Amino acid sequence: MVGFSLGIGVSVAHRRRRPSYDPFAAAYFGTFQAEPGATYKRLMSNFAVELQDEVIWPELDLIFDIGAMDATGWARNWKNPDQFMLAAINGPTIAPRFGATGDGSTMCLEAPWTPFANGQKFALNDASIWMASHANVANAQPAVGAGQSYVLAINPRSTSDNGICQINSVTGSPPAYAGVTSSVGFWGAQLFNGNQVRMTRDGITLGPDVTKAAEGRPTGRLRALGRTPSSYSTLPVRMMAIGGSVIGKEQAFAAAWKALADGMAAL
Amino acid sequence: MTMQSFLIFDEAARTAAESLNSEAPFAIQPRPLDGPSVPADLAGHYAAPASLLAHPDYARWHPSLSLLPIRSLDVEMVFAAVPD
């Protein structure tokens, strides 16, 4: 009996294990038209694990890597790959590792998701929107967001070199931070405590939090390369996410994104 | 002044193009020509980029798009900013 038991143990020890990936990441890249390589899978798995460890993942409604290395991976929502897929409207250019670029007048990416009707974690008084860009382009209009009734938007670098964001408000001027001379980076706009707005780049605040009370959630659909109803930007957008405020976790989110983007750039 | 080349849609052409939008993740949404200075013959029409004609991901639209007129238009004059 002892010899039999040892024999099984040796057999198991020598069995080659398949690599294990985070189940959320695996569900996402399982929709890819071509199976990604092991290193790319590991990068995606690590990103999902990191966001879960930091309790950012459950606080987000949508995550899109618009520079995904797959024919249609850019359209998939990491939180649920078959739900709220992006549509490329009017032919924006979409490139692996770089993201989407529009013409500033008609092209955009749009999710069938509105902050008002579909926001789960994205609440009236506690909300955030995130984006990344690998390009430095000043624009008059926001690069991501939604409108109609109220506004949600990030414009990393305006034509007057301000970082501008707006989140669940429409009256008055949106928070603006001077001296932004590059739109490259990972950008966030967060609303917390119902009236505090924070804008960050690569996890670092652009300035003091701004007091601006939440008024309502936009009823228009979420877009990249502009925002609903009719604002369009030429700033290329690499990623977009939206959800609850995840206040205080900006640096962790930025670090997780940087690990994924830098890792993909090296593939 | 920013000039771009656009396919011009009347109401029927727009409806026909958007009827093919069911297959995600690609879609066409011609934008209304409702700006401050729209050429008189384009009033009530819509525009989408002429580059769609050469875009392989929009191949299912190509047979109908190839029949549409193309115009070079100043985007600041033909599109209106819709208020929130």
Side-chain angles (χ1 to χ4, degrees), chain A residues 72-95:
Chain A
T72 57
W74 57 268
R76 300 283 184 177
N77 166 24
W78 286 57
K79 293 298 301 286
N80 186 339
D82 293 321
Q83 194 173 35
F84 303 125
M85 282 180 67
L86 290 172
I89 294 173
N90 296 336
T93 302
I94 301 170

Side-chain angles (χ1 to χ4, degrees), chain A residues 52-71:
Chain A
Q52 289 170 78
D53 285 350
E54 297 291 342
V55 198
I56 296 169
W57 180 276
E59 295 301 314
L60 297 177
D61 287 329
L62 306 170
I63 306 170
F64 298 103
D65 179 4
I66 301 165
M69 296 161 60
D70 177 70

Side-chain angles (χ1 to χ4, degrees), chain A:
Chain A
M1 286 299 291
V2 172
F4 178 72
S5 298
L6 281 173
I8 291 176
V10 169
S11 168
V12 170
H14 283 82
R15 187 177 301 150
R16 191 173 186 84
R17 293 183 60 200
R18 289 173 58 82
S20 60
Y21 299 107
D22 174 79
F24 292 117
Y28 166 68
F29 62 66
T31 65
F32 280 20
Q33 293 192 353
E35 184 174 356
T39 305
Y40 185 22
K41 285 186 197 174
R42 182 60 59 200
L43 287 168
M44 291 186 277
S45 182
N46 290 348
F47 178 65
V49 167
E50 192 65 25
L51 294 189
Q52 289 170 78
D53 285 350
E54 297 291 342
V55 198
I56 296 169
W57 180 276
E59 295 301 314
L60 297 177
D61 287 329
L62 306 170
I63 306 170
F64 298 103
D65 179 4
I66 301 165
M69 296 161 60
D70 177 70
T72 57
W74 57 268
R76 300 283 184 177
N77 166 24
W78 286 57
K79 293 298 301 286
N80 186 339
D82 293 321
Q83 194 173 35
F84 303 125
M85 282 180 67
L86 290 172
I89 294 173
N90 296 336
T93 302
I94 301 170
R97 301 185 183 94
F98 188 75
T101 307
D103 61 354
S105 62
T106 62
M107 298 174 183
C108 65
L109 304 180
E110 183 179 272
W113 185 99
T114 80
F116 178 77
N118 304 110
Q120 297 293 317
K121 294 299 180 178
F122 186 97
L124 172 62
N125 294 317
D126 188 274
S128 69
I129 183 167
W130 307 86
M131 61 158 284
S133 180
H134 295 315
N136 183 14
V137 184
N139 262 269
Q141 301 297 335
V144 297
Q148 292 180 209
S149 302
Y150 305 98
V151 177
L152 166 70
I154 296 178
N155 185 354
R157 180 191 171 194
S158 74
T159 51
S160 52
D161 287 345
N162 286 308
I164 300 173
C165 68
Q166 196 158 7
I167 186 159
N168 291 350
S169 62
V170 69
T171 56
S173 300
Y177 300 83
V180 178
T181 56
S182 175
S183 54
V184 174
F186 177 77
W187 302 86
Q190 297 157 280
L191 167 70
F192 59 103
N193 294 340
N195 66 358
Q196 296 296 299
V197 175
R198 176 177 298 176
M199 186 170 179
T200 61
R201 177 188 188 186
D202 298 329
I204 307 299
T205 56
L206 295 187
D209 296 339
V210 174
T211 299
K212 190 161 185 61
E215 299 170 286
R217 292 183 295 176
T219 59
R221 289 183 169 189
L222 179 67
R223 283 183 176 175
L225 309 178
R227 70 164 175 85
T228 46
S230 66
S231 298
Y232 298 87
S233 169
T234 55
L235 177 64
V237 175
R238 166 61 197 271
M239 75 85 72
M240 176 170 62
I242 192 165
S245 71
V246 293
I247 203 72
K249 299 176 180 177
E250 307 85 19
Q251 292 189 31
F253 197 175
W257 168 253
K258 179 174 169 51
L260 175 63
D262 288 355
M264 289 172 67
L267 289 177

Side-chain angles (χ1 to χ4, degrees), chain B residues 7-64:
Chain B
L7 295 159
I8 304 300
F9 298 71
D10 61 17
E11 190 66 48
R14 181 182 76 102
T15 301
E18 293 186 344
S19 71
L20 298 177
N21 283 351
S22 58
E23 297 174 43
F26 300 99
I28 290 180
Q29 287 181 10
R31 185 174 176 186
L33 293 168
D34 55 1
S37 183
V38 177
D41 62 319
L42 298 185
H45 286 63
Y46 303 80
S51 57
L52 286 170
L53 279 171
H55 201 309
D57 291 324
Y58 294 79
R60 66 176 179 271
W61 284 275
H62 287 171
S64 54

